[in-house]
mmCIF file of all heavy atoms in Angstrom:
data_model
loop_
_atom_site.group_PDB
_atom_site.id
_atom_site.type_symbol
_atom_site.label_atom_id
_atom_site.label_comp_id
_atom_site.label_asym_id
_atom_site.label_seq_id
_atom_site.Cartn_x
_atom_site.Cartn_y
_atom_site.Cartn_z
ATOM 1 N N ARG A 7 22.868 -5.443 -5.764
ATOM 2 C CA ARG A 7 22.005 -4.258 -5.628
ATOM 3 C C ARG A 7 20.801 -4.333 -6.545
ATOM 4 O O ARG A 7 19.807 -3.652 -6.317
ATOM 5 C CB ARG A 7 22.819 -2.996 -5.916
ATOM 6 C CG ARG A 7 23.990 -2.807 -4.960
ATOM 7 C CD ARG A 7 24.802 -1.573 -5.252
ATOM 8 N NE ARG A 7 25.931 -1.441 -4.326
ATOM 9 C CZ ARG A 7 27.123 -1.981 -4.518
ATOM 10 N NH1 ARG A 7 27.360 -2.703 -5.610
ATOM 11 N NH2 ARG A 7 28.084 -1.825 -3.627
ATOM 12 N N GLU A 8 20.909 -5.145 -7.591
ATOM 13 C CA GLU A 8 19.798 -5.323 -8.538
ATOM 14 C C GLU A 8 19.907 -6.720 -9.128
ATOM 15 O O GLU A 8 20.958 -7.379 -9.019
ATOM 16 C CB GLU A 8 19.866 -4.269 -9.634
ATOM 17 C CG GLU A 8 21.179 -4.251 -10.392
ATOM 18 C CD GLU A 8 21.247 -3.111 -11.384
ATOM 19 O OE1 GLU A 8 20.705 -2.030 -11.084
ATOM 20 O OE2 GLU A 8 21.842 -3.315 -12.456
ATOM 21 N N PRO A 9 18.800 -7.226 -9.720
ATOM 22 C CA PRO A 9 18.806 -8.609 -10.210
ATOM 23 C C PRO A 9 19.957 -8.936 -11.151
ATOM 24 O O PRO A 9 20.504 -10.043 -11.115
ATOM 25 C CB PRO A 9 17.445 -8.736 -10.902
ATOM 26 C CG PRO A 9 16.570 -7.767 -10.177
ATOM 27 C CD PRO A 9 17.456 -6.595 -9.841
ATOM 28 N N GLY A 10 20.377 -7.971 -11.979
ATOM 29 C CA GLY A 10 21.449 -8.229 -12.932
ATOM 30 C C GLY A 10 22.768 -8.581 -12.285
ATOM 31 O O GLY A 10 23.617 -9.256 -12.894
ATOM 32 N N ASP A 11 22.957 -8.149 -11.029
ATOM 33 C CA ASP A 11 24.210 -8.468 -10.336
ATOM 34 C C ASP A 11 24.359 -9.959 -10.086
ATOM 35 O O ASP A 11 25.476 -10.463 -9.919
ATOM 36 C CB ASP A 11 24.288 -7.715 -8.999
ATOM 37 C CG ASP A 11 24.422 -6.213 -9.188
ATOM 38 O OD1 ASP A 11 24.930 -5.791 -10.240
ATOM 39 O OD2 ASP A 11 24.021 -5.460 -8.276
ATOM 40 N N LEU A 12 23.233 -10.669 -10.067
ATOM 41 C CA LEU A 12 23.294 -12.120 -9.858
ATOM 42 C C LEU A 12 23.951 -12.840 -11.029
ATOM 43 O O LEU A 12 24.366 -13.997 -10.884
ATOM 44 C CB LEU A 12 21.883 -12.677 -9.634
ATOM 45 C CG LEU A 12 21.227 -12.279 -8.308
ATOM 46 C CD1 LEU A 12 19.743 -12.596 -8.333
ATOM 47 C CD2 LEU A 12 21.907 -12.991 -7.143
ATOM 48 N N ASP A 13 24.074 -12.154 -12.175
ATOM 49 C CA ASP A 13 24.734 -12.780 -13.331
ATOM 50 C C ASP A 13 26.205 -13.071 -13.044
ATOM 51 O O ASP A 13 26.816 -13.926 -13.706
ATOM 52 C CB ASP A 13 24.628 -11.873 -14.567
ATOM 53 C CG ASP A 13 23.192 -11.722 -15.051
ATOM 54 O OD1 ASP A 13 22.353 -12.571 -14.678
ATOM 55 O OD2 ASP A 13 22.918 -10.754 -15.787
ATOM 56 N N LEU A 14 26.774 -12.353 -12.062
ATOM 57 C CA LEU A 14 28.177 -12.563 -11.713
ATOM 58 C C LEU A 14 28.377 -13.787 -10.827
ATOM 59 O O LEU A 14 29.517 -14.171 -10.544
ATOM 60 C CB LEU A 14 28.730 -11.324 -11.003
ATOM 61 C CG LEU A 14 28.720 -10.017 -11.823
ATOM 62 C CD1 LEU A 14 29.176 -8.850 -10.972
ATOM 63 C CD2 LEU A 14 29.605 -10.155 -13.061
ATOM 64 N N ALA A 15 27.282 -14.367 -10.366
ATOM 65 C CA ALA A 15 27.351 -15.551 -9.509
ATOM 66 C C ALA A 15 27.018 -16.798 -10.317
ATOM 67 O O ALA A 15 26.073 -16.804 -11.108
ATOM 68 C CB ALA A 15 26.381 -15.419 -8.341
ATOM 69 N N SER A 16 27.797 -17.847 -10.127
ATOM 70 C CA SER A 16 27.499 -19.125 -10.785
ATOM 71 C C SER A 16 26.390 -19.848 -10.029
ATOM 72 O O SER A 16 26.037 -19.481 -8.902
ATOM 73 C CB SER A 16 28.755 -19.996 -10.804
ATOM 74 O OG SER A 16 29.095 -20.391 -9.485
ATOM 75 N N ASP A 17 25.837 -20.877 -10.649
ATOM 76 C CA ASP A 17 24.839 -21.692 -9.953
ATOM 77 C C ASP A 17 25.442 -22.323 -8.703
ATOM 78 O O ASP A 17 24.767 -22.477 -7.677
ATOM 79 C CB ASP A 17 24.307 -22.784 -10.889
ATOM 80 C CG ASP A 17 23.444 -22.215 -12.006
ATOM 81 O OD1 ASP A 17 22.985 -21.057 -11.867
ATOM 82 O OD2 ASP A 17 23.229 -22.916 -13.020
ATOM 83 N N ALA A 18 26.732 -22.666 -8.781
ATOM 84 C CA ALA A 18 27.403 -23.237 -7.608
ATOM 85 C C ALA A 18 27.494 -22.206 -6.478
ATOM 86 O O ALA A 18 27.326 -22.549 -5.302
ATOM 87 C CB ALA A 18 28.790 -23.727 -7.986
ATOM 88 N N ASP A 19 27.750 -20.933 -6.829
ATOM 89 C CA ASP A 19 27.790 -19.879 -5.815
ATOM 90 C C ASP A 19 26.436 -19.745 -5.121
ATOM 91 O O ASP A 19 26.359 -19.614 -3.893
ATOM 92 C CB ASP A 19 28.163 -18.539 -6.447
ATOM 93 C CG ASP A 19 29.584 -18.503 -6.976
ATOM 94 O OD1 ASP A 19 30.441 -19.233 -6.446
ATOM 95 O OD2 ASP A 19 29.829 -17.737 -7.939
ATOM 96 N N LEU A 20 25.367 -19.782 -5.910
ATOM 97 C CA LEU A 20 24.026 -19.674 -5.345
ATOM 98 C C LEU A 20 23.704 -20.857 -4.441
ATOM 99 O O LEU A 20 23.041 -20.708 -3.416
ATOM 100 C CB LEU A 20 22.984 -19.579 -6.461
ATOM 101 C CG LEU A 20 22.955 -18.263 -7.252
ATOM 102 C CD1 LEU A 20 22.035 -18.386 -8.459
ATOM 103 C CD2 LEU A 20 22.483 -17.116 -6.359
ATOM 104 N N ALA A 21 24.209 -22.017 -4.814
ATOM 105 C CA ALA A 21 23.915 -23.227 -4.047
ATOM 106 C C ALA A 21 24.579 -23.221 -2.677
ATOM 107 O O ALA A 21 24.049 -23.807 -1.719
ATOM 108 C CB ALA A 21 24.341 -24.464 -4.832
ATOM 109 N N VAL A 22 25.734 -22.561 -2.558
ATOM 110 C CA VAL A 22 26.452 -22.582 -1.280
ATOM 111 C C VAL A 22 26.377 -21.236 -0.548
ATOM 112 O O VAL A 22 27.032 -21.057 0.472
ATOM 113 C CB VAL A 22 27.938 -22.960 -1.476
ATOM 114 C CG1 VAL A 22 28.056 -24.342 -2.089
ATOM 115 C CG2 VAL A 22 28.667 -21.914 -2.324
ATOM 116 N N GLY A 23 25.567 -20.319 -1.078
ATOM 117 C CA GLY A 23 25.476 -19.002 -0.471
ATOM 118 C C GLY A 23 24.073 -18.681 0.006
ATOM 119 O O GLY A 23 23.150 -19.500 -0.081
ATOM 120 N N PHE A 24 23.917 -17.478 0.527
ATOM 121 C CA PHE A 24 22.592 -16.993 0.925
ATOM 122 C C PHE A 24 22.540 -15.493 0.685
ATOM 123 O O PHE A 24 23.574 -14.822 0.588
ATOM 124 C CB PHE A 24 22.286 -17.326 2.382
ATOM 125 C CG PHE A 24 23.096 -16.559 3.392
ATOM 126 C CD1 PHE A 24 22.536 -15.511 4.106
ATOM 127 C CD2 PHE A 24 24.430 -16.884 3.655
ATOM 128 C CE1 PHE A 24 23.273 -14.811 5.043
ATOM 129 C CE2 PHE A 24 25.179 -16.188 4.596
ATOM 130 C CZ PHE A 24 24.597 -15.140 5.285
ATOM 131 N N LEU A 25 21.336 -14.968 0.542
ATOM 132 C CA LEU A 25 21.137 -13.544 0.347
ATOM 133 C C LEU A 25 21.104 -12.867 1.714
ATOM 134 O O LEU A 25 20.196 -13.103 2.518
ATOM 135 C CB LEU A 25 19.838 -13.279 -0.410
ATOM 136 C CG LEU A 25 19.828 -13.696 -1.879
ATOM 137 C CD1 LEU A 25 18.436 -13.518 -2.474
ATOM 138 C CD2 LEU A 25 20.851 -12.888 -2.688
ATOM 139 N N LYS A 26 22.116 -12.034 1.958
ATOM 140 C CA LYS A 26 22.255 -11.345 3.237
ATOM 141 C C LYS A 26 21.933 -9.868 3.034
ATOM 142 O O LYS A 26 22.548 -9.203 2.203
ATOM 143 C CB LYS A 26 23.686 -11.500 3.760
ATOM 144 C CG LYS A 26 23.958 -10.819 5.085
ATOM 145 C CD LYS A 26 25.390 -11.107 5.531
ATOM 146 C CE LYS A 26 25.689 -10.505 6.896
ATOM 147 N NZ LYS A 26 27.051 -10.874 7.365
ATOM 148 N N PRO A 27 20.956 -9.311 3.751
ATOM 149 C CA PRO A 27 20.619 -7.899 3.562
ATOM 150 C C PRO A 27 21.749 -6.988 4.018
ATOM 151 O O PRO A 27 22.456 -7.286 4.986
ATOM 152 C CB PRO A 27 19.371 -7.716 4.437
ATOM 153 C CG PRO A 27 19.453 -8.800 5.457
ATOM 154 C CD PRO A 27 20.121 -9.956 4.783
ATOM 155 N N THR A 28 21.907 -5.874 3.326
ATOM 156 C CA THR A 28 22.954 -4.928 3.714
ATOM 157 C C THR A 28 22.573 -4.162 4.982
ATOM 158 O O THR A 28 23.451 -3.657 5.677
ATOM 159 C CB THR A 28 23.259 -3.933 2.586
ATOM 160 O OG1 THR A 28 22.056 -3.267 2.207
ATOM 161 C CG2 THR A 28 23.835 -4.655 1.373
ATOM 162 N N GLU A 29 21.271 -4.056 5.275
ATOM 163 C CA GLU A 29 20.820 -3.455 6.531
ATOM 164 C C GLU A 29 19.889 -4.451 7.195
ATOM 165 O O GLU A 29 18.704 -4.524 6.887
ATOM 166 C CB GLU A 29 20.122 -2.119 6.289
ATOM 167 C CG GLU A 29 21.054 -1.026 5.773
ATOM 168 C CD GLU A 29 20.378 0.318 5.705
ATOM 169 O OE1 GLU A 29 19.919 0.825 6.751
ATOM 170 O OE2 GLU A 29 20.296 0.863 4.597
ATOM 171 N N SER A 30 20.423 -5.218 8.135
ATOM 172 C CA SER A 30 19.699 -6.366 8.658
ATOM 173 C C SER A 30 18.457 -5.985 9.448
ATOM 174 O O SER A 30 17.418 -6.649 9.363
ATOM 175 C CB SER A 30 20.628 -7.227 9.513
ATOM 176 O OG SER A 30 21.191 -6.467 10.555
ATOM 177 N N GLN A 31 18.517 -4.902 10.248
ATOM 178 C CA GLN A 31 17.343 -4.553 11.049
ATOM 179 C C GLN A 31 16.212 -4.030 10.187
ATOM 180 O O GLN A 31 15.039 -4.313 10.448
ATOM 181 C CB GLN A 31 17.730 -3.546 12.144
ATOM 182 C CG GLN A 31 18.610 -4.170 13.227
ATOM 183 C CD GLN A 31 18.753 -3.301 14.454
ATOM 184 O OE1 GLN A 31 18.562 -2.083 14.415
ATOM 185 N NE2 GLN A 31 19.106 -3.908 15.575
ATOM 186 N N VAL A 32 16.525 -3.278 9.125
ATOM 187 C CA VAL A 32 15.487 -2.817 8.195
ATOM 188 C C VAL A 32 14.848 -4.016 7.499
ATOM 189 O O VAL A 32 13.616 -4.120 7.393
ATOM 190 C CB VAL A 32 16.085 -1.843 7.160
ATOM 191 C CG1 VAL A 32 15.039 -1.477 6.106
ATOM 192 C CG2 VAL A 32 16.607 -0.596 7.850
ATOM 193 N N HIS A 33 15.681 -4.946 7.042
ATOM 194 C CA HIS A 33 15.177 -6.142 6.373
ATOM 195 C C HIS A 33 14.284 -6.954 7.313
ATOM 196 O O HIS A 33 13.217 -7.441 6.923
ATOM 197 C CB HIS A 33 16.355 -6.992 5.897
ATOM 198 C CG HIS A 33 15.965 -8.235 5.163
ATOM 199 N ND1 HIS A 33 15.752 -9.430 5.814
ATOM 200 C CD2 HIS A 33 15.743 -8.476 3.849
ATOM 201 C CE1 HIS A 33 15.427 -10.356 4.930
ATOM 202 N NE2 HIS A 33 15.416 -9.804 3.743
ATOM 203 N N ASN A 34 14.709 -7.090 8.556
ATOM 204 C CA ASN A 34 13.951 -7.900 9.504
ATOM 205 C C ASN A 34 12.569 -7.309 9.776
ATOM 206 O O ASN A 34 11.604 -8.052 9.986
ATOM 207 C CB ASN A 34 14.732 -8.039 10.810
ATOM 208 C CG ASN A 34 14.131 -9.071 11.729
ATOM 209 O OD1 ASN A 34 13.930 -10.219 11.353
ATOM 210 N ND2 ASN A 34 13.817 -8.663 12.948
ATOM 211 N N ARG A 35 12.473 -5.983 9.762
ATOM 212 C CA ARG A 35 11.165 -5.366 9.988
ATOM 213 C C ARG A 35 10.182 -5.710 8.879
ATOM 214 O O ARG A 35 8.980 -5.813 9.110
ATOM 215 C CB ARG A 35 11.312 -3.843 10.111
ATOM 216 C CG ARG A 35 11.751 -3.386 11.490
ATOM 217 C CD ARG A 35 11.566 -1.894 11.670
ATOM 218 N NE ARG A 35 12.531 -1.149 10.856
ATOM 219 C CZ ARG A 35 13.742 -0.811 11.288
ATOM 220 N NH1 ARG A 35 14.137 -1.155 12.488
ATOM 221 N NH2 ARG A 35 14.560 -0.128 10.524
#
């Protein structure tokens, strides 16, 4: 929900993941 939440993810998590919007149609617009 905010940049600080990324601290809970390791570099390995970031490498194998992607940022998925919680509301995809709003994000796509």
Side-chain angles (χ1 to χ4, degrees):
R7 299 179 181 88
E8 56 185 35
D11 292 334
L12 290 167
D13 294 341
L14 299 175
S16 68
D17 290 342
D19 293 332
L20 289 171
V22 299
F24 70 104
L25 290 174
K26 180 177 183 176
T28 56
E29 293 187 60
S30 57
Q31 290 193 338
V32 174
H33 181 270
N34 191 55
R35 279 194 290 271

